[in-house]
Structures are given as C-alpha cells and as structure tokens.
Amino acid sequence: LLSVLYLGDCQLHTSCGIQKCTTDFVSFTSHLNVALEDFDLEFCKALRAYSVCTYRNSKVCRGNLVYHSAVLGISDLMTQRNCTKDGPTSSTNPEMTRDLCNYSGHTEVREHQGGEKTPPPAYLFCGLFGDPHLRTFKDHFQTCKVKGAWPLIDNNYLSVQVTNVPVVPGSSATATNKITIIFKSYQDCTDQKVYQAVTDDLPAAFVDGTTSGGDGNTRSLHIVEKVSGKYIEMHARYIGTTVYIRQLGHYLTLAIRMPQELVMAYEESQDLQLCVNGCPSSERIDQSGHLPLPVVGKLLPWGAAAHPRSGYTLETATTKCHEKMLVKDIYFYLCIFDLLTTGDANFSAAGHSALQDVEALHPSKEHWHIFPRSGGGGVGRDSKFFVSLGFLCLILVAYL
C-alpha cells in the first residue's frame, strides 16, 4: 500500500492532502511491534485516523489514483485486522504524540500548544553514600544516623526508600544495605514497576523479572547493567529521570537526577523526603554542620568487633583517600571521616564513586565540587591546616 502511495506522489494535485494522511499513518505505526499484545488495537486506531483523513480529502482528491488506492488499501487492512469502522482514533498530531513518553519532548508539546517558547527543564541531583552522607536536591550536605527504613523521595511519579544498618558496634554511623524504588504508572508509558536491591543482590531487573516498562521499542523505562552485581543504571525517559545504584564492599550507594517540577510534585503528607528536606535534626550526626572526631593521629578503638578491623590514623586515611581523590573538596574530607570512623577501605571507593556520579548526573558543573569553609575550627582547602588540627571537624552544610 505504501509503495503505491509514494510512487504516485507525482500525480498529486497541490490541494489533495492524501500524502499528509499517509505520512501521519506512517508516524502512528512506525514504532508498533507486531509481537506486542496491543498491536492490533493501536494499528486499528491508526487505520481509523487514516480513513477519517481520506474522507476529509474525498472532494479535492477525486480522480486521484493514489487517493483511491489508499481508500481501497485501508479497507483491505481493516478487514484483515478485524478493525471496526467506529472506535477511537490516533491523535491528529502524531508529531506531538510521538514524544509523550520522552520528558525532553514535553517542552516541545507545550510550545506547540501554547505558541510560546518555554525554558528548558531544570534538573536536580541527590546522592547518598558512605555512613551515610546525604547530598540533597538543594546541594546541602548532611551526615545522618537514619537507622532503619527512610524515604529519600516520595512524589507523584517516583518513590525511593533506603534501609540503613549500623556499621561499627557502639557507633551511631550507619550505611545502606537495601534500596527500594517504585516507578509509578504513567499514562501509556509504563505500568508500575518496583525495583529492589540488597547487599550482595543487585539485580538487573525489576521484581517482576522484566527489565523495562512500557513499549519495548520506545524504552520509556529500562535497566542497564554496567557491572554485574555491582553497578546498574535505571533510565526513565518519560519522567526525565536517571538512577545509579552501586555496591561497594557490603553497602550500597545511590545517585539520582530528576526534573525539578517533578521533584516538587508531591502532597503535604509526603513531606518526609530526605532528598528534598534533609534529615530530621534528631537524626543528624553533624552538629550545626560539624562532625567532631576527638581522636587524631592515633588508632581509633574499634571495640569488641566480631571481625577486628585494621585501624587508620589521620595520616594513613588522608593518603588512602588521596589515591583516587585529588581535589580536596567535601568528598575528600568525608572519605577521611569514613575511614577513621569505620576502618573499612571500601568507603574510600564509595566516596570516589559518589563524586563520579555527581560529575555524570549533576546539571551544574560549577557545583560538582563543594569546599568546606576555612576558619572557625572548620577544615579549609589547605591540607597542612587540616593535618595540624587536634581534632577532625568537617563543615557539611551547603556553601552555595
């Protein structure tokens, strides 16, 4: 049918709109997969829209060979697919409907409908790593206890919950050993999908065994396994959201990038979101932005641990973190804090990976690195000043 239509282009009169009808039909059906259950339903919608379009052009296209070939072809295809003449049709604007499951295309749709240019969407970043350190959507840094299950994100599109467990007996420091993510159903783009990761089980699939949501061709939601059992990415195109989850040692890290307008789409009852509003004051380990560690230059006592850890001094912890983190920003100092607190070398890798995730997902390059303020007992950019302190005191509040 299509070959006949395109071969007949030269016969078309300028007033006959059959070519536009055909182009729209191709747009409606080019992404359809015959193996999917809803193929016949969507194909019939497109055929009915095609039929309506040809009917509107019946007068101006009278006597046109391509037009009459299209009418006969539509009738044959509707019979083959058992399509009814009455029923829903595809949108009359396929150029716009094509991007409904692509968040970056939503702006184009609004511009087309409103006739005015809209600014590109603003994106926000949130990350959780270490024991645990939280970088909120506002670029505030906090270190929190938050033992047990806590919501990082809970809006109309996405829910993210983490579970934290104690790292060292007798310490308030915790780390994440479980992450649960719910992608809520959205129009025709995806059904609800639940993902769950726990220590030593970082699957490359949702809990129902699938690796994507929505149409398999459009891939509006899908999981990509980067390193088996250690690193996965989730890409939700329909809400412009990307999630990274890693396992380093026995604990998990998370980083997410999401459009600001969707981040803020939540009800008043959903205000407990660590990524949005930070940790409750009662759960913060840092005091007014400071993390005191009274023992420096000595081995930290680890207590009666079942598996004794090798201790770090300030000097050895600094050297270990400097191996991969050359810039002495907040991530560098948090790496030192984690090593002194836990004695677990995997926390230095977690800090380095967290910074890599920032560089990959944070929308503002100038905000990748955040530096503690110097003075007032805080740690500045001068490593000599840092080493000479009688205690480790990190400034962790936002500095932007």
Side-chain angles (χ1 to χ4, degrees):
L1 169 64
L2 296 179
S3 62
V4 171
L5 296 176
Y6 285 118
L7 286 172
D9 281 353
C10 59
Q11 301 180 27
L12 296 179
H13 303 294
T14 55
S15 57
C16 180
I18 188 61
Q19 184 61 43
K20 178 63 166 60
C21 297
T22 304
T23 301
D24 287 354
F25 176 72
V26 172
S27 298
F28 289 135
T29 57
S30 59
H31 69 284
L32 297 179
N33 186 338
V34 69
L36 297 179
E37 291 181 356
D38 62 349
F39 173 81
D40 285 339
L41 174 64
E42 294 302 320
F43 196 78
C44 287
K45 285 167 132 181
L47 279 174
R48 283 191 285 266
Y50 198 179
S51 179
V52 169
C53 187
T54 57
Y55 178 78
R56 289 172 180 164
N57 284 274
S58 58
K59 290 185 179 180
V60 292
C61 293
R62 182 177 299 169
N64 185 283
L65 175 62
V66 178
Y67 168 79
H68 290 287
S69 297
V71 172
L72 292 174
I74 292 169
S75 178
D76 289 342
L77 286 173
M78 292 187 75
T79 300
Q80 291 174 22
R81 294 290 171 180
N82 294 320
C83 301
T84 59
K85 291 184 179 180
D86 297 323
T89 62
S90 299
S91 167
T92 56
N93 196 347
E95 290 80 7
M96 292 298 105
T97 60
R98 239 182 286 173
D99 288 327
L100 284 179
C101 293
N102 183 356
Y103 182 80
S104 63
H106 293 184
T107 301
E108 297 173 11
V109 173
R110 289 194 293 266
E111 288 178 4
H112 179 83
Q113 293 173 340
E116 296 181 0
K117 285 284 185 180
T118 58
Y123 289 87
L124 302 177
F125 172 88
C126 180
L128 187 75
F129 66 98
D131 63 349
H133 306 299
L134 172 70
R135 181 169 181 163
T136 72
F137 282 131
K138 301 174 184 176
D139 283 327
H140 293 177
F141 263 103
Q142 297 178 355
T143 297
C144 311
K145 293 178 290 186
V146 287
K147 179 182 175 181
W150 289 81
L152 287 185
I153 299 170
D154 184 20
N155 56 49
N156 296 339
Y157 303 91
L158 181 72
S159 292
V160 180
Q161 179 177 280
V162 296
T163 301
N164 302 313
V165 294
V167 176
V168 179
S171 170
S172 58
T174 63
T176 303
N177 73 342
K178 182 178 179 180
I179 296 174
T180 303
I181 301 177
I182 301 175
F183 292 91
K184 301 177 183 180
S185 60
Y186 182 77
Q187 296 182 5
D188 294 328
C189 301
T190 184
D191 295 328
Q192 178 171 290
K193 290 290 180 178
V194 180
Y195 178 86
Q196 189 169 92
V198 296
T199 296
D200 298 327
D201 184 12
L202 189 63
F206 296 105
V207 295
D208 62 3
T210 62
T211 59
S212 62
D215 190 314
N217 287 331
T218 57
R219 293 171 68 82
S220 58
L221 170 63
H222 65 283
I223 298 176
V224 179
E225 185 175 54
K226 291 295 186 177
V227 180
S228 179
K230 297 296 181 183
Y231 172 29
I232 65 103
E233 295 179 2
M234 284 177 276
H235 300 272
R237 292 174 59 250
Y238 68 101
I239 53 174
T241 298
T242 302
V243 183
Y244 290 178
I245 300 178
R246 303 176 187 264
Q247 177 171 332
L248 295 152
H250 296 293
Y251 304 106
L252 306 175
T253 69
L254 179 139
I256 183 168
R257 167 187 166 115
M258 191 172 191
Q260 181 176 1
E261 66 172 344
L262 304 190
V263 165
M264 303 310 296
Y266 61 89
E267 306 300 326
E268 186 176 348
S269 60
Q270 298 171 294
D271 63 336
L272 181 57
Q273 302 181 58
L274 303 191
C275 278
V276 177
N277 298 314
C279 300
S281 57
S282 61
E283 294 293 327
R284 292 182 62 171
I285 295 176
D286 55 304
Q287 301 170 0
S288 300
H290 296 72
L291 275 174
L293 260 182
V295 181
V296 170
K298 301 178 182 179
L299 293 178
L300 291 178
W302 300 117
H307 301 284
R309 303 173 183 269
S310 59
Y312 279 91
T313 65
L314 179 58
E315 182 178 359
T316 57
T318 302
T319 301
K320 181 67 176 177
C321 293
H322 195 57
E323 289 177 0
K324 292 185 176 181
M325 307 173 73
L326 302 181
V327 178
K328 291 182 172 60
D329 61 358
I330 199 70
Y331 289 91
F332 174 78
Y333 293 120
L334 290 176
C335 171
I336 296 172
F337 175 82
D338 286 350
L339 290 183
L340 292 174
T341 303
T342 68
D344 187 346
N346 289 303
F347 280 92
S348 66
H352 178 248
S353 295
L355 183 55
Q356 287 182 313
D357 293 344
V358 168
E359 294 174 353
L361 297 178
H362 198 290
S364 302
K365 185 175 181 179
E366 62 272 20
H367 294 162
W368 287 357
H369 298 283
I370 296 178
F371 297 93
R373 294 173 184 164
S374 59
V379 176
R381 305 187 189 193
D382 188 338
S383 60
K384 292 182 180 179
F385 172 74
F386 168 74
V387 171
S388 67
L389 287 176
F391 59 91
L392 177 59
C393 187
L394 304 184
I395 301 290
L396 297 176
V397 292
Y399 314 100
L400 306 182

